[in-house]
Amino acid sequence: MSAPTAASRKPDALERDALAVLHPTFHGTDTPPTWLLRLLESGGMTGVGLFGRNVVSDEQVTGLTARLHEANPEVLIAIDEEGGDVTRLEVRTGSSVPGSLALGAVDDPDLTRAVAAELGRRLVARGITLNWAPSADVNSNPDNPVIGSRSFGADPALVARHTVAYVEGLQSAGVAACVKHFPGHGDTDVDSHLAMPRIGVDRDTLTERELLPFRAAIAAGTRCVMSAHILVPALDPELPGTLSPAVLNGLLRAPVSEGGLGFEGVIVTDGMEMDAVAARWGVERGNVLAIAAGADAICVGGTPSDEAEVLRMRDALVAAVRSGELPEERLHDAAERVRALGRWTAARRAEALASGNPGTAGDTGGTGRGSAGNIGTEAARRAVRISAPAGAPPFAPLTGPAHVLVLTPAANVAVGSETPWGLGPALTRLLPGTTTDRRGRTAPDAVPAVVEEVLREAGERRLVVVVRDVHRHAWMGETLAALVAARPDTAVVEMGVPQAPPSGALHIATHGAARVCAEAAAEVLTGGTIPRGTART
């Protein structure tokens, strides 16, 4: 009789601990892979992640997660559902709730708490138990290419109070929150998906700025904290946060009496396939270093895993324990923390299901018409800021078809290119016949020709130009300036961080590119009433 293969034999206790800390993602929308169900059922695996590639509809997601819960009733099913620009459940339509920057612009923690609670109810109804959100990053660097509108803002105290409200709202619905990206990704100008960011500030600045929202979230009871693949020499001159014992164990986990944050929950890594880690250490080696440093759950998010990759990661952990590099008690402690979180989410999910129809109040079905859609619309409207530069001509509301130009930067890796954004569909619903043109990066010497072509396409129709983080893109600013000079009655809609001075006859800052943010801007352009709490600057 042949010996059982590594994939088919029953794993031992050490292998079960190793599998417990691995949270991969996978291909598939209808049925999870057979190997994944087997490892969840009898191999010791505790969690998986979902991305837009796993989503077709709310009903489909509910069926998909039901199979995962059947395999392991205490499974952690995670998703990156920040709302706003980063949405997975509404990846093909755009989010029915605005993101963090819009909520921070309103600065009503009760509203933030209510939006997060509605998101939480919707996640629970779909079988999802862990949300890799919110971002607790203080967006202190306007040139940040990956955080931006995912942050509540640039003021640490504002970010702290809204991070707390989001955590409280999400967890009140029975979904574990995961604040990110520790020790803070806001003061970076490099995307850790692509390379290693570095924050060169001193320890006092970190304490007063980056760490403030994390301390507040921990005090509020967040169940998880996600580490960042960033180098902070004031904490560790050699290793990024995810791989650094000084950052994870010496700061995040250390008691408050010893200068730490005293976090007792689950530390989740950012995606281990991201180049900030994988390009130098590789996924398997990075996995070992992260657990040794103090992480409890390994996320492999950006690219789907197969069975071979998961078993390689498991075997790397087992080999590290057997060689003495990774203490067995450290791996077991990580596995036990993750299992405890699974028990918590299973109990909270059962309570929500027993209470009757969890999530129906927030069930938008992708249309934005449910209660979550209503509160999302309210929040998006309240986040709108309207201004105009000195000397701009008076703006008359649009009454007929317009021509919308969307100046489109390269997609943020965290946001992805699947989710639509812009103003065209929202404005077309109000003004049938409106047309949309999208333009990408333009060379400086090509700007005049582009402007001439856009004006020709617009004809007699009013022009609306949509930008996103125009302050970070010189080509976008040059094109916008030329268009406004040629057509002073142009309306400008900024759907990113409104850092640049206002331009156009009317300048609308939506503080995010969610679908509801576009709808709020379209209402203003057509003369809709500016809601209470909306500022004209």
Side-chain angles (χ1 to χ4, degrees):
M1 180 181 296
S2 61
T5 65
S8 64
R9 66 174 174 78
K10 185 177 180 179
D12 61 26
L14 179 56
E15 290 171 326
R16 291 180 67 83
D17 279 351
L19 281 169
V21 305
L22 302 179
H23 290 182
T25 59
F26 60 93
H27 276 302
T29 56
D30 296 322
T31 303
T34 301
W35 64 266
L36 178 59
L37 293 175
R38 184 181 69 251
L39 292 178
L40 286 170
E41 193 170 61
S42 59
M45 183 171 282
T46 62
V48 298
L50 301 182
F51 275 80
R53 57 181 169 266
N54 304 114
V55 174
V56 175
S57 68
D58 286 341
E59 294 74 20
Q60 166 267 325
V61 172
T62 305
L64 182 68
T65 60
R67 287 291 294 113
L68 298 169
H69 283 291
E70 288 171 8
N72 181 347
E74 295 179 353
V75 64
L76 290 165
I77 302 177
I79 198 166
D80 226 0
E81 188 62 38
E82 299 177 13
D85 295 2
V86 178
T87 178
R88 310 309 181 196
L89 289 182
E90 297 181 280
V91 64
R92 291 171 180 81
T93 62
S95 181
S96 56
V97 299
S100 294
L101 187 64
L103 296 172
V106 178
D107 196 12
D108 179 352
D110 288 339
L111 179 66
T112 297
R113 190 176 293 106
V115 168
E118 287 292 354
L119 273 179
R121 282 189 279 273
R122 187 176 179 205
L123 293 173
V124 167
R126 303 295 166 262
I128 296 163
T129 60
L130 169 60
N131 193 7
W132 291 321
S135 167
D137 304 302
V138 179
N139 196 53
S140 56
N141 187 341
D143 291 328
N144 197 311
V146 68
I147 302 300
S149 62
R150 301 168 65 199
S151 165
F152 291 108
D155 174 50
L158 180 145
V159 174
R161 62 179 171 265
H162 287 279
T163 299
V164 166
Y166 195 107
V167 167
E168 291 174 345
L170 196 62
Q171 294 190 166
S172 72
V175 176
C178 185
V179 295
K180 58 190 182 184
H181 308 78
F182 188 83
H185 209 312
D187 189 18
T188 61
D189 57 8
V190 171
D191 183 347
S192 53
H193 292 87
L194 308 175
M196 179 75 76
R198 181 182 185 276
I199 296 181
V201 300
D202 58 32
R203 182 67 177 260
D204 287 344
T205 301
L206 287 169
T207 298
E208 295 169 5
R209 188 178 65 187
E210 273 75 16
L211 298 184
L212 186 66
F214 290 98
R215 287 188 189 277
I218 291 167
T222 186
R223 293 282 163 172
C224 300
V225 172
M226 178 177 282
S227 66
H229 306 331
I230 58 176
L231 187 67
V232 186
L235 301 176
D236 188 324
E238 297 180 358
L239 293 171
T242 294
L243 309 184
S244 169
V247 172
L248 298 188
N249 194 47
L251 178 59
L252 180 54
R253 196 69 90 187
V256 174
S257 61
E258 298 176 12
L261 273 67
F263 181 58
E264 297 288 344
V266 171
I267 300 175
V268 182
T269 72
D270 208 345
M272 293 301 292
E273 80 293 344
M274 294 164 61
D275 280 350
V277 168
R280 176 174 174 184
W281 290 277
V283 174
E284 286 106 45
R285 180 65 182 157
N287 158 48
V288 170
L289 293 174
I291 296 296
D296 304 307
I298 302 294
C299 168
V300 188
T303 54
S305 296
D306 56 19
E307 182 178 15
E309 180 180 59
V310 171
L311 293 181
R312 285 196 304 272
M313 294 178 73
R314 178 201 68 181
D315 292 346
L317 288 167
V318 170
V321 169
R322 289 177 174 159
S323 71
E325 178 186 10
L326 173 62
E328 185 171 359
E329 57 271 23
R330 167 76 277 266
L331 178 60
H332 184 65
D333 171 68
E336 286 296 290
R337 287 180 188 272
V338 175
R339 292 176 186 129
L341 180 62
R343 291 191 293 272
W344 183 88
T345 60
R348 295 306 305 274
R349 178 170 179 266
E351 292 171 7
L353 294 172
S355 69
N357 299 321
T360 31
D363 183 0
T364 67
T367 67
R369 296 192 181 98
S371 178
N374 292 339
I375 198 169
T377 297
E378 175 195 348
R381 286 171 173 164
R382 291 178 62 186
V384 168
R385 298 293 180 267
I386 301 168
S387 59
F395 180 82
L398 305 180
T399 57
H403 185 64
V404 178
L405 172 66
V406 184
L407 297 178
T408 307
N412 180 326
V413 177
V415 175
S417 58
E418 295 174 282
T419 306
W421 72 280
L423 190 67
L427 195 56
T428 300
R429 281 193 291 273
L430 298 178
L431 300 175
T434 291
T435 54
T436 298
D437 182 17
R438 303 184 80 93
R439 302 274 177 158
R441 185 182 182 91
T442 301
D445 59 356
V447 169
V450 168
V451 169
E452 182 180 350
E453 187 175 346
V454 169
L455 294 176
R456 185 170 59 250
E457 292 173 354
E460 297 300 316
R461 289 171 297 167
R462 301 276 293 281
L463 181 63
V464 179
V465 181
V466 182
V467 295
R468 196 167 178 174
D469 294 344
V470 67
H471 66 282
R472 294 199 303 110
H473 306 286
W475 67 270
M476 192 183 295
E478 292 167 10
T479 306
L480 175 62
L483 286 166
V484 170
R487 291 279 295 269
D489 65 343
T490 296
V492 178
V493 181
E494 168 64 84
M495 301 194 78
V497 179
Q499 187 75 21
S503 61
L506 180 72
H507 185 274
I508 301 173
T510 61
H511 298 91
R515 173 167 49 85
V516 285
C517 294
E519 291 166 355
E523 290 173 355
V524 172
L525 287 167
T526 54
T529 302
I530 299 172
R532 177 182 60 81
T534 301
R536 184 186 294 275
T537 58

